[in-house]
Amino acid sequence: MNINMDMIAHNDSLELYASGLHHYPQLKKPLQNIKSPITLLFGHDNPDDKTKDDWTYSSDHRIFHKEKIPFIYFGVEDHKDYHKPTDTFENINQDFYVDAVKLIIKAIENYDSFLE
């Protein structure tokens, strides 16, 4: 399983997405009920859901998916600085980033126990 942690430092709505569960629903259970100040949402992976961009092929995890290797991609929706010169350390929500890292560490620990 691949866990990709791109794009987790810039969200003022305190929302983080775990994408990939549409393709690999067996990976959802370890992500449920993680306690965090951040709301962990699922989505951005269903090609039939026209309300959200499909991130399935948007980053490094696409190679794993093409090879049928399950993945979870943690990311945030586009923000005002996305892919712009202003996407710098000074403009991120540092508290969000720290909490996102803690949430992802907890997810990895949960997967470690779940996949034994």
Side-chain angles (χ1 to χ4, degrees), residues 22-23 45-50 54 56:
H22 173 77
H23 305 288
D45 52 9
N46 182 347
D48 298 324
D49 182 355
K50 302 304 180 199
D54 183 357
T56 302

Side-chain angles (χ1 to χ4, degrees), residues 20-85:
L21 299 170
H22 173 77
H23 305 288
Y24 306 102
Q26 72 275 19
L27 298 179
K28 186 173 185 178
K29 187 174 181 180
L31 297 178
Q32 294 175 315
N33 304 316
I34 293 177
K35 297 198 183 325
S36 172
I38 294 175
T39 301
L40 182 61
L41 303 169
F42 307 127
H44 285 289
D45 52 9
N46 182 347
D48 298 324
D49 182 355
K50 302 304 180 199
T51 65
K52 292 184 177 67
D53 293 332
D54 183 357
W55 297 344
T56 302
Y57 294 99
S58 295
S59 194
D60 302 340
H61 58 273
R62 71 180 168 273
I63 303 303
F64 294 95
H65 181 62
K66 285 182 180 179
E67 295 298 321
K68 308 268 190 274
I69 298 170
F71 74 90
I72 299 297
Y73 171 82
F74 292 98
V76 298
E77 291 187 323
D78 292 354
H79 48 80
K80 67 181 180 64
D81 298 312
Y82 181 70
H83 284 182
K84 294 180 182 168

Side-chain angles (χ1 to χ4, degrees), residues 3 5 31 74 103-113:
I3 297 179
M5 296 191 298
L31 297 178
F74 292 98
L103 187 153
I104 293 167
I105 290 169
K106 182 60 181 165
I108 292 168
E109 292 169 349
N110 288 357
Y111 279 119
D112 190 43
S113 299

